[in-house]
């Protein structure tokens, strides 16, 4: 049995008594750190440790490494795959970065911002906008997710079609290694070919290689206008055709292209009846488009009108609205952003966060829907997502009126197998943006080549030989004693 009380004493000395929370105090509720967002699993931590500086993070990691105690890095705890909460052993330290929330510098000439990893994404977007810049990372969880978590998961969101995901927006990192050393890679350089690009190892590593404490992110000038349109489309094929046409007509102006299936929109109507959801009853699919224009509102509007008129002539769109003002645009985006929330209100469900080459998506959905309905009669398909990136949230819910928990217990494994095998047949990935976490560990090695898995394990062993950084996430390795 390890001497945990000595470690807790050390941790308190590093970050201050108030910032080490444990179950010893029966009045302290640790739910916010121990329960995952989707309520799939609840863990028990040895302690929640909340450092305020990089130096404190380094000292905490050194103390934990000396005590062979594993660490679970945590940002906003909005992850979808149970990757940021502790296991049930009561022996893991949750390292919460949320007190590290300062903007370190904004370099207008270099178009970069350097920030602490615990900054909440929305706060950063607002800071950048005040300074006349766009930080083009946008997710429905932006009010609570952190930039460290966004980089830890290589988050996607709704503007990837134009700006790429978190990885493509990041020019530098500061990382505390598993040994408690600080690597300052906050260069802000757009070109640097001096050996391996280490930042890319940590981005998307889900806290398994080290702790990101700071980041330098790319900025863009604020566009003169961001216009939103919402269109009813008769089929997924038509949505893909519309996407191709939107790329051609709007070119780099196309900054968002989301698809929403009828059942997904129905959940929004059911749980948020105050929202006005256009066309959902008469159309199997609706699409949300964003056109960012550097000239003017008039220019953006004429681009959209041209696109939608041609799309209607070709039968790709049956009806459409263009937001008249920012309030209408926000309301349309709110519909899309409410889908995951409505799904959470609806209860337990099986989420798939897959990517397929865009051109093959209609065929994938047709074939996989049919397989699911044949094998799991009555199952309800909640399909929506970032069609512009070939990324669908291809989710499944128990048949109407049946017990969701029981459906998951009895069917989740086989249903995942069916969907992931289909994804592999279509040349896709089992995780486009949420990551592996705990939920997809078993599946990863079936869908990634043995050579790739070996290289990943070798990197993990080299950087974290004692397997103390978020063990059991991404893959399982033997634990240090
Ligand atoms: P956490 O949930 O705290 O952690 C996620 C992972 O990153 C864990 O493995 C954790 O250990 C690791 N981590 C956290 N901080 C650090 C750090 N500083 N250093 C190293 N590792 C770290 N995701 C998308 O990609 N696209 C979406 O469109 C999207 N929409 C969402 C909508 C809703 C309503 C919700 C609830 C979630 C959504 N997500 C989406 C998932 C989630 O918000 C993202 O994965 C986000 O990037 C997680 O950030 P976080 O700060 O909450 O990280
Ligand atoms: C989204 O795009 O809304 C998210 O990734 C969340 C989800 O999949 O539910
Ligand atoms: Zn998403």
């Amino acid at each position: 049995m390890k001497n945990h009380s000595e470690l807790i004493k050390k941790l308190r000395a590093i970050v201050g008594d108030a910032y080490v929370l444990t179950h010893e105090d029966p009045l302290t509720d640790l739910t916010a750190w121990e329960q995952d967002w989707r309520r799939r699993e609840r863990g028990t931590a040895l302690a929640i440790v909340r450092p305020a500086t990089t130096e404190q993070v380094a000292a905490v990691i050194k103390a934990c490494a000396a005590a062979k105690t594993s660490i679970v890095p945590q940002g906003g705890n909005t992850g979808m795959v149970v990757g940021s909460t502790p296991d049930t052993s009561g022996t893991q330290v949750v390292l919460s970065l949320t007190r590290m929330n300062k903007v370190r510098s904004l370099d207008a000439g270099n178009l970069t911002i350097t920030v602490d990893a615990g900054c909440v994404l929305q706060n950063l977007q607002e800071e950048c906008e005040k300074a006349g810049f766009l930080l083009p990372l946008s997710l429905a969880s932006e009010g609570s997710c952190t930039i460290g978590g966004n980089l830890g998961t290589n988050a996607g969101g709704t503007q990837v079609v134009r700006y790429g995901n978190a990885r493509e927006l990041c020019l530098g990192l500061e990382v505390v290694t598993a040994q408690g050393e600080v690597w300052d890679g906050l260069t802000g350089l757009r070109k640097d070919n001096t050996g391996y690009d280490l930042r890319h190892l940590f981005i998307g590593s889900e806290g398994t290689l080290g702790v990101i404490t700071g980041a330098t992110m790319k900025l863009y000038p604020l566009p003169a206008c961001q216009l939103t349109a919402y269109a009813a489309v008769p089929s997924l094929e038509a949505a893909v055709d519309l996407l191709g046409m939107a790329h051609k007509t709007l070119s780099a102006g196309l900054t968002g292209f989301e698809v929403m299936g009828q059942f997904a929109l129905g959940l929004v109507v059911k749980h948020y009846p105050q929202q006005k959801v256009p066309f959902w009853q008469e159309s199997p699919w609706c699409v949300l488009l964003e056109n960012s224009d550097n000239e003017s509102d008039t220019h953006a509007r004429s681009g959209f009108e041209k696109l939608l008129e041609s799309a209607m002539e070709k039968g790709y769109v049956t009806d459409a609205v263009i937001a008249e003002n920012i309030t209408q645009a926000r309301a349309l985006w709110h519909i899309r952003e409410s889908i995951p929330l409505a799904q959470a209100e609806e209860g337990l469900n099986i989420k798939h966060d897959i990517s397929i080459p865009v051109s093959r998506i209609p065929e994938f959905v047709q074939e996989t829907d049919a397989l699911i309905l044949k094998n799991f009669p009555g199952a309800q398909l909640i399909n929506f997502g970032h069609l512009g990136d070939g990324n669908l949230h291809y989710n499944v819910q128990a048949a109407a009126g049946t017990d969701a928990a029981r459906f998951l217990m009895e069917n989740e494994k086989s249903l995942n197998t069916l969907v992931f095998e289909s994804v592999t047949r279509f040349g896709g990935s089992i995780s486009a943006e949420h990551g592996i976490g705990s939920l997809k560990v078993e599946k990863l090695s079936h869908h990634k080549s043995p050579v790739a898995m070996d290289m990943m394990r070798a990197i993990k062993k080299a950087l974290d030989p004692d397997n103390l950084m978020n063990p059991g996430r991404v893959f399982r390795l033997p634990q240090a004693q």
Side-chain angles (χ1 to χ4, degrees):
M1 186 67 189
K2 290 174 188 166
N3 186 349
H4 288 139
S5 59
E6 272 308 304
L7 174 62
I8 299 286
K9 233 191 257 172
K10 274 191 197 160
L11 297 175
R12 289 192 195 284
I14 296 165
V15 298
D17 283 351
Y19 300 111
V20 177
L21 312 175
T22 70
H23 286 283
E24 274 165 23
D25 176 1
L27 295 179
T28 308
D29 181 5
L30 304 186
T31 309
W33 295 275
E34 291 183 334
Q35 171 81 67
D36 77 297
W37 190 88
R38 289 176 60 202
R39 302 188 172 276
R40 293 298 308 262
E41 284 173 29
R42 163 102 202 215
T44 306
L46 170 65
I48 313 297
V49 181
R50 305 186 59 217
T53 64
T54 302
E55 292 68 32
Q56 288 184 2
V57 173
V60 167
I61 294 185
K62 276 194 176 141
C64 289
K68 295 263 188 282
T69 294
S70 60
I71 289 175
V72 181
Q74 191 182 86
N77 196 18
T78 65
M80 289 283 176
V81 287
V82 191
S84 51
T85 46
D87 64 21
T88 51
S89 66
T91 62
Q92 296 191 301
V93 164
V94 172
L95 187 68
S96 166
L97 278 286
T98 52
R99 286 180 68 221
M100 290 187 62
N101 56 9
K102 310 241 171 353
V103 172
R104 298 190 191 176
S105 61
L106 190 152
D107 184 339
N110 197 41
L111 284 171
T112 49
I113 187 165
T114 298
V115 302
D116 283 351
C119 286
V120 168
L121 177 58
Q122 190 175 332
N123 295 345
L124 288 182
Q125 293 165 342
E126 287 169 5
E127 284 289 315
C128 294
E129 194 175 332
K130 266 191 247 155
F133 296 103
L134 176 74
L135 173 63
L137 183 62
S138 180
L139 353 171
S141 55
E142 61 204 20
S144 38
C145 67
T146 63
I147 202 78
N150 300 148
L151 290 164
T153 56
N154 186 26
T158 55
Q159 294 186 311
V160 175
V161 67
R162 162 73 176 90
Y163 299 103
N165 44 17
R167 181 187 301 285
E168 275 135 302
L169 295 170
C170 178
L171 290 177
L173 285 183
E174 179 187 82
V175 170
V176 180
T177 68
Q179 294 70 40
E181 304 298 331
V182 179
W183 169 54
D184 180 353
L186 295 172
T187 63
L189 296 175
R190 282 177 164 74
K191 295 181 110 174
D192 178 8
N193 280 351
T194 51
Y196 305 146
D197 199 332
L198 297 172
R199 124 194 81 141
H200 287 306
L201 279 183
F202 293 99
I203 298 173
S205 68
E206 303 184 43
T208 62
L209 299 179
V211 176
I212 298 167
T213 47
T216 299
M217 305 297 291
K218 274 187 206 168
L219 298 178
Y220 290 79
L222 273 179
C225 155
Q226 276 182 318
L227 210 59
T228 301
Y230 183 107
V233 295
S235 64
L236 260 185
E237 284 85 349
V240 171
D241 287 333
L242 175 64
L243 172 65
M245 201 179 234
H247 274 305
K248 228 170 159 182
T249 313
L250 307 176
S251 190
L254 181 67
T255 50
F257 195 100
E258 299 286 311
V259 73
M260 299 161 287
Q262 190 171 43
F263 189 77
L265 289 173
L267 286 182
V268 175
V269 173
K270 176 175 169 190
H271 292 286
Y272 307 107
Q274 71 282 13
Q275 290 196 39
K276 302 246 168 310
V277 180
F279 319 132
W280 78 278
Q281 269 163 316
E282 57 268 25
S283 184
W285 299 93
C286 288
V287 168
L288 197 55
L289 303 98
E290 188 179 74
N291 180 12
S292 299
D293 194 290
N294 287 330
E295 275 187 40
S296 62
D297 183 88
T298 317
H299 190 254
R301 209 166 279 279
S302 82
F304 255 164
E305 282 164 2
K306 194 172 141 203
L307 169 69
L308 294 169
E309 273 164 28
S310 317
M312 278 188 180
E313 273 166 27
K314 290 210 178 275
Y316 302 162
V317 165
T318 51
D319 214 338
V321 285
I322 301 176
E324 286 298 328
N325 50 44
I326 190 84
T327 313
Q328 277 183 15
R330 286 209 178 116
L332 292 174
W333 275 103
H334 192 46
I335 296 168
R336 160 63 183 88
E337 286 162 359
S338 299
I339 297 175
L341 306 174
Q343 250 201 284
E345 290 290 330
E346 186 73 3
L348 286 174
N349 52 69
I350 303 174
K351 268 188 190 292
H352 297 119
D353 161 42
I354 56 170
S355 56
I356 309 279
V358 174
S359 52
R360 305 200 69 193
I361 280 190
E363 197 192 341
F364 165 83
V365 169
Q366 194 186 26
E367 192 176 305
T368 316
D369 279 7
L371 281 172
I372 290 181
L373 293 175
K374 186 172 153 210
N375 288 282
F376 307 92
Q380 304 182 89
L381 296 154
I382 306 143
N383 198 345
F384 65 99
H386 318 286
L387 187 64
D389 319 326
N391 172 196
L392 289 182
H393 297 306
Y394 186 76
N395 302 335
V396 185
Q397 192 176 294
T402 61
D403 181 346
R406 189 159 171 198
F407 177 74
L408 259 67
M409 207 172 61
E410 290 174 353
N411 301 311
E412 185 166 17
K413 253 191 167 162
S414 49
L415 205 141
N416 285 346
T417 302
L418 184 156
V419 171
F420 293 157
E421 280 178 0
S422 189
V423 164
T424 299
R425 273 198 311 283
F426 279 82
S429 163
I430 66 166
S431 174
E433 55 176 16
H434 295 162
I436 302 302
S438 306
L439 292 186
K440 292 177 218 149
V441 170
E442 308 295 344
K443 293 288 177 198
L444 185 65
S445 55
H446 294 289
H447 297 275
K448 223 166 164 81
S449 81
V451 179
M453 290 302 294
D454 280 351
M455 285 195 281
M456 281 177 31
R457 283 194 202 96
I459 291 166
K460 169 76 173 170
K461 272 195 191 140
L463 296 189
D464 179 23
D466 288 335
N467 191 21
L468 294 176
M469 300 305 308
N470 216 359
R473 269 70 200 249
V474 183
F475 36 51
R476 281 198 193 97
L477 296 172
Q479 195 59 36
Q481 295 305 310

